């Protein structure tokens, strides 16, 4: 049986980036997944910290033409409730950046990663499905549907919500659902977006427009009740274009949707452990939540960076999964809870919840230091607390002097 230091199961964005990263660190890597199915019409917003990984892989020059900068991010209360929050706009320039991150269409990004995988001599792409994993003290044995067997020191499960790696490792999950689904599409518009992303908070979920390259195209994730999503999917493209334009309050002028949208039910999932023995979980094998605040893939890339830093130059020990779990737990759980609470606050008709949400957005709109703190935390998780500690330490030192 052929042996690899690391076997990555799943060749989506998270799995492909993990395989490339470990290969570039000098590890022998197998990337295992069947051939890609239908094209992914979604886009991914990578924040500044995540882009560092893309740059380290030498991919930015090829990715940049596909991407649109997110120079400003705007939140608008699109509800008709009695208590409405003020509009809040976050400008990257306020924290010394040209852009918070870049919005990248998934399909060409994945195609680029597949091409890059072919260039790495230490990375072997295996086009097959995993059928079974046996974890032993010194190695893992992976059986594939084409009859092959390989062994690996570490198995990275990047194989989505129904992860076979997670099941084989005996890791349980917690699932929950929302009375929502997401309509995903791209559209062109008359008025340039000026690299501004706008998120309307509606009574049934966020309506999020994100810039695409060229200035006159954007991607959209429209979260609403499942029955409303089905109504939108049944509309002609002209009628759907008009519905999008109205929901956007014609901010971008006349809208044109050219291709039928995709739809996805919304739910959440968190593994009860993010690693065990010689297995670790990344991406949606470990965590999944609604598309709010561009958290999904950015959290997955932090999974990868944590695994790389934890492994270093040493060989994989049989307790690596447990150490990875402890390293990732706080970040994953805090992000999952934050996104869940924000989404549920949009759905709640309970007046005190609406008051708290409106007060929070009012504080962000009016208090620049608080807004800057939140922006830094969104870009680089944990930095807000570090900044607060440094500020307090500096003030204490001044008083002592």
């Amino acid at each position: 049986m052929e042996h690899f230091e690391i076997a990555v199961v799943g060749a989506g964005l998270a799995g492909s980036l993990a395989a490339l990263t470990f290969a570039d660190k000098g590890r022998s890597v197998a990337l295992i997944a069947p051939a890609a199915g239908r094209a992914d019409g979604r886009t991914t917003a990578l924040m500044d910290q995540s882009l560092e990984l893309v740059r380290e892989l030498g991919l930015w020059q090829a990715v940049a033409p596909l991407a649109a900068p997110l120079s400003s991010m705007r939140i608008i209360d699109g509800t008709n409730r009695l208590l409405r929050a003020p509009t809040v706009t976050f400008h990257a320039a306020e924290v010394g950046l040209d852009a918070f991150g870049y919005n990248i269409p998934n399909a060409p990004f994945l195609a680029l990663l597949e091409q890059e995988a072919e260039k790495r001599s230490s990375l072997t792409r295996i086009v097959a499905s995993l059928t079974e994993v046996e974890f032993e003290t010194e190695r893992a044995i992976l059986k594939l549907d084409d009859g092959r067997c390989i062994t690996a020191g570490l198995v990275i499960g990047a194989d989505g919500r129904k992860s076979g790696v997670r099941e084989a490792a005996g890791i349980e999950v917690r699932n929950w659902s929302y009375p929502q689904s997401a309509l995903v599409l791209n559209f062109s518009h008359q008025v340039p977006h000026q690299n501004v992303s706008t998120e309307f908070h509606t009574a049934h979920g966020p309506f999020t427009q994100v810039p695409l390259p060229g200035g006159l195209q954007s991607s959209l994730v429209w979260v609403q009740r499942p029955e409303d999503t089905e109504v939108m999917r049944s509309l002609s493209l002209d009628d759907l274009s008009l519905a999008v334009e109205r929901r956007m309050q014609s901010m971008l002028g006349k809208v044109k949707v050219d291709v039928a949208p995709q739809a996805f039910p919304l739910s959440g999932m968190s593994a009860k452990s993010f690693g065990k023995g010689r297995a670790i979980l990344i991406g949606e094998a470990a965590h999944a939540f609604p598309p709010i605040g561009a958290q999904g893939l950015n959290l997955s890339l932090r999974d990868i960076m944590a695994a790389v830093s934890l492994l270093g130059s040493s060989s994989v020990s049989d307790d690596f999964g447990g150490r990875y779990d402890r390293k990732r737990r706080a970040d994953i759980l805090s992000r999952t809870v934050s996104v869940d609470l924000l989404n549920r606050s949009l759905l709640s008709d309970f007046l005190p919840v609406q008051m708290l949400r409106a007060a929070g957005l009012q504080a962000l709109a009016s208090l620049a230091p608080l807004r800057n703190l939140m922006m830094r935390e969104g870009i680089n998780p944990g930095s807000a607390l570090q900044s607060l500690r440094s500020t307090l330490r500096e003030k204490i030192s001044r008083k002592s002097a």
Side-chain angles (χ1 to χ4, degrees):
M1 289 184 287
E2 190 172 4
H3 180 75
F4 297 88
E5 290 178 271
I6 296 170
V8 180
V9 181
L13 291 174
S16 297
L17 286 164
L20 289 168
T21 301
F22 277 103
D24 281 6
K25 295 296 180 182
R27 303 287 180 167
S28 61
V29 180
L31 177 58
I32 304 165
R38 68 171 182 169
D40 188 345
R42 296 171 295 177
T43 65
T44 295
L46 287 185
M47 296 296 106
D48 187 68
Q49 185 189 41
S50 298
L51 290 170
E52 283 303 310
L53 179 63
V54 175
R55 293 187 181 102
E56 286 177 10
L57 291 171
L59 302 179
W60 180 241
Q61 189 173 357
V63 170
L66 306 173
L70 305 177
S71 301
S72 299
M73 303 178 76
R74 178 169 50 203
I75 298 175
I76 298 175
D77 192 329
T79 69
N80 294 316
R81 290 169 174 161
L82 178 63
L83 289 173
R84 297 184 64 191
T87 296
V88 183
T89 304
F90 303 94
H91 299 287
E94 291 185 67
V95 288
L97 296 174
D98 294 327
F100 291 115
Y102 288 78
N103 190 39
I104 309 165
N106 287 4
F109 193 14
L110 265 173
L112 172 64
L113 297 181
E114 288 174 6
Q115 293 169 14
E116 288 296 319
E118 296 294 328
K119 299 177 184 178
R120 267 65 171 183
S121 59
S122 60
L123 198 166
T124 301
R125 175 71 170 96
I126 300 177
V127 182
S129 295
L130 180 73
T131 58
E132 187 180 347
V133 189
E134 295 177 9
F135 290 100
E136 300 180 346
T137 304
E138 299 296 328
R139 63 178 186 174
I141 302 173
L142 296 88
K143 299 179 181 179
L144 310 180
D145 66 353
D146 62 0
R148 278 185 287 181
C149 283
I150 66 168
T151 62
L154 175 66
V155 181
I156 299 178
D159 47 345
R161 295 191 186 208
K162 297 180 180 180
S163 170
V165 173
R166 189 182 63 225
E167 183 179 356
I171 297 174
E172 297 181 348
V173 299
R174 183 172 68 90
N175 289 292
W176 61 96
S177 60
Y178 300 96
Q180 300 164 294
S181 61
L183 190 76
V184 178
L185 56 88
N186 295 337
F187 65 95
S188 56
H189 40 82
Q190 281 184 320
V191 179
H193 53 56
Q194 298 182 322
N195 300 325
V196 177
S197 174
T198 301
E199 184 168 289
F200 288 86
H201 285 182
T202 79
H204 302 298
F207 173 102
T208 309
Q209 165 266 332
V210 189
L212 287 173
L216 295 175
Q217 286 189 309
S218 293
S219 61
L220 174 69
V221 179
W222 189 351
V223 176
Q224 50 194 332
R225 294 176 300 189
E227 57 268 31
D228 294 335
T229 296
E230 288 308 308
V231 169
M232 290 298 163
R233 290 185 72 188
S234 69
L235 296 177
S236 67
L237 292 181
D238 286 342
D239 289 340
L240 180 59
S241 300
L242 183 59
V244 171
E245 181 182 333
R246 286 174 174 168
R247 179 68 269 181
M248 283 215 70
Q249 302 174 7
S250 297
M251 293 175 63
L252 296 177
K254 186 175 177 59
V255 161
K256 183 172 177 56
V257 178
D258 293 317
V259 180
Q262 294 178 318
F264 304 89
L266 290 197
S267 61
M269 183 279 293
S270 180
K272 293 186 178 180
S273 175
F274 305 113
K276 183 179 178 182
R278 293 186 176 276
I280 66 170
L281 307 176
I282 68 171
E284 290 198 344
H287 44 74
F289 40 70
I292 296 176
Q295 293 299 309
L297 187 62
N298 291 285
L299 186 60
S300 302
L301 264 60
R302 294 203 295 278
D303 294 340
I304 297 168
M305 290 184 274
V308 169
S309 67
L310 192 62
L311 184 56
S313 58
S314 60
S315 58
V316 181
S317 61
D318 59 5
D319 67 341
F320 185 81
R323 292 190 290 125
Y324 171 83
D325 172 63
R326 292 189 291 275
K327 188 176 182 68
R328 292 301 297 137
R329 183 159 292 274
D331 184 21
I332 293 173
L333 294 183
S334 65
R335 293 288 149 165
T336 301
V337 169
S338 298
V339 171
D340 180 64
L341 287 176
L342 178 56
N343 189 44
R344 292 185 191 279
S345 75
L346 292 175
L347 300 176
S348 177
D349 288 323
F350 190 44
L351 192 59
V353 172
Q354 294 179 30
M355 290 175 64
L356 283 171
R357 181 176 158 275
L361 289 174
Q362 178 65 61
L364 288 173
S366 56
L367 299 174
L370 177 62
R371 191 168 60 250
N372 288 352
L373 201 68
M374 291 300 294
M375 284 189 283
R376 293 184 188 280
E377 180 63 21
I379 296 165
N380 185 6
S383 62
L385 185 58
Q386 292 173 6
S387 175
L388 191 58
R389 284 174 180 166
S390 299
T391 301
L392 290 173
R393 206 175 288 124
E394 186 179 339
K395 287 183 178 180
I396 291 170
S397 299
R398 285 177 181 174
K399 286 183 179 180
S400 299

